[in-house]
Amino acid sequence: MHTTNTLRRTAIAVLTAATLGLAPTALADTGHQGPSWRAAWAASPQAPTAPFTANWSQQGFENQTVRQVVRVTTGGTRARIELTNRYGSTPLRITGATVARTAEGGAVRPGSVRQLRFDGRASVTIPAGGTLLSDAANLPVEAFGSLTVTLYLAEKTGPATFHHISSATSYRADGDHRGDLTGTAFRETSASWYFLSGVEVTGGRDSACRNGVVTFGDSITDGVGSTADANGRYPDELAERLAEAGRPRAVVNHGIAGNQVVNDTTWAGEKALTRFRQDALAEPGVRTVIVLEGINDIGGSTSTFPAPPTPDVSAARLIAGHRTLIREAHAKGLRIVGATLTPIKGSFYDSPANEAKREAVNDWIRTSGAYDAVVDFDRAVADPADPDRILKAYDSGDGLHPNDAGYEAMAGAVDLDEL
């Protein structure tokens, strides 16, 4: 399966590069007016926390360089990045930043390093609670190409706004190494992203298209259970499937592991009802949102890991939350697709009461007509002989999260005509 996916992804990359017709441009602008920008990659910001594994969010950074690798799902002739201090309590000083094409690990390709500027300046301060975009970088970007964003943080940042579960490796070095071609100085690694919340592109063949897809949800959208650094999350697989079908579209991921629809948590982000507008609905160039969320509202009231239980949520209240998301998407002129909640039998969420809620919510998603369309992820990954349980071949091992094959099956269940 891994070898097949690798060959398939190589073929997609070659096809995309051939059809985009990318070329460097001598134009320079601040990126805030004029060009039509499209979301190419995203990660939902979270407050500093460490519920599962150690990371760098709570202590932050000082005189350190952070290098982060992301894979975009659409290409263009120029790119810009989004940085966020959404959950910072003090201003964040970015001393300098670069973007480049990724080589191996923490290394970047020679000749591709571009210094990022912010309204023409190399350094910028982001106020507490703020988010900003860089100026346009003259770096042609191919769909399914990987970019390395490097931030030099000379001053003490304090606790860092971040995205906890990246399923990708980030790198850290002491001192200023923003222009390094090799990864030699980057001796520390992390499985999270820091301050980086988006990549946007403009130009290229699809410059006028407004057909991107936001995938919004919890850990199963975030990709928990997928292979690290392999881009095997279901949104990744969906983007590749669209490209293979000759219908390339950007697919950006706004999942947060542990996230709930109606409850805030200290470790899994603000509830969907709060973050939906800022995360999903604000993305440029998007036409459709896929929502897969609610299993943590159901299971979180009975689970004690990794935090105390959250308030009990009835199926009716969870459905009311989904209706709110639908109204907000429609108010923005977006199409919204509802996804059924995947099996929990054998997981730490398994109980008769939780299963009854899951089935009630899924029945509403399938039959109510409230969503513009439905994708039945539940049936896509369920064991036909035991439909309340995820198929063993698709199970990452905890009875809840799919593995790479399970995420591929989920992407395969999406009706491309409904996006």
Side-chain angles (χ1 to χ4, degrees), residues 262-395:
V262 302
N263 287 320
D264 289 325
T265 66
T266 58
W267 62 275
E270 293 179 283
K271 60 189 175 186
L273 292 176
T274 298
R275 73 181 187 90
F276 188 63
R277 292 181 294 278
Q278 196 167 1
D279 288 351
L281 301 187
E283 290 289 3
V286 165
R287 186 174 78 185
T288 305
V289 181
I290 302 175
V291 174
L292 171 60
E293 186 144 18
I295 204 62
N296 294 310
D297 299 72
I298 293 170
S301 64
T302 58
S303 175
T304 58
F305 178 80
T310 50
D312 183 70
V313 177
S314 67
R317 187 176 174 214
L318 187 51
I319 288 168
H322 277 259
R323 287 191 182 276
T324 297
L325 301 182
I326 293 168
R327 286 195 300 272
E328 291 183 352
H330 286 165
K332 289 281 289 186
L334 298 180
R335 183 171 178 79
I336 185 165
V337 177
T340 53
L341 307 180
T342 51
I344 60 173
K345 187 174 181 179
S347 76
F348 49 80
Y349 282 170
D350 187 8
S351 76
N354 287 349
E355 180 59 26
K357 289 181 186 179
R358 186 183 77 91
E359 291 179 1
V361 172
N362 279 352
D363 182 67
W364 174 82
I365 292 171
R366 290 185 182 112
T367 64
S368 68
Y371 278 103
D372 296 318
V374 172
V375 54
D376 206 333
F377 286 154
D378 174 32
R379 290 173 179 162
V381 300
D383 185 341
D386 190 0
D388 295 337
R389 185 186 298 273
I390 191 170
L391 186 70
K392 186 175 181 180
Y394 293 159
D395 187 358

Side-chain angles (χ1 to χ4, degrees), residues 100-192:
R101 295 191 185 94
T102 307
E104 192 73 25
V108 298
R109 295 185 187 178
S112 72
V113 179
R114 304 288 187 272
Q115 179 175 268
L116 290 169
R117 293 191 174 274
F118 306 87
D119 285 328
R121 299 184 298 272
S123 298
V124 70
T125 298
I126 308 173
T131 295
L132 62 76
L133 289 160
S134 75
D135 300 346
N138 293 324
L139 180 68
V141 176
E142 297 176 1
F144 306 108
S146 289
L147 297 179
T148 296
V149 177
T150 305
L151 307 177
Y152 175 48
L153 306 160
E155 301 173 19
K156 190 172 183 178
T157 66
T161 297
F162 84 135
H163 183 84
H164 186 23
I165 306 294
S166 64
S167 298
T169 303
S170 297
Y171 305 86
R172 183 169 71 175
D174 292 330
D176 183 0
H177 294 277
R178 71 189 107 160
D180 286 18
L181 296 180
T182 73
T184 304
F186 294 88
R187 298 185 178 91
E188 298 177 89
T189 60
S190 171
S192 301

Side-chain angles (χ1 to χ4, degrees), residues 27 29-38 78 80 136 201-203 207:
L27 295 175
D29 62 54
T30 62
H32 303 295
Q33 298 179 10
S36 177
W37 290 94
R38 309 181 306 282
R78 287 179 291 169
R80 66 184 183 184
V201 298
T202 190
S207 59

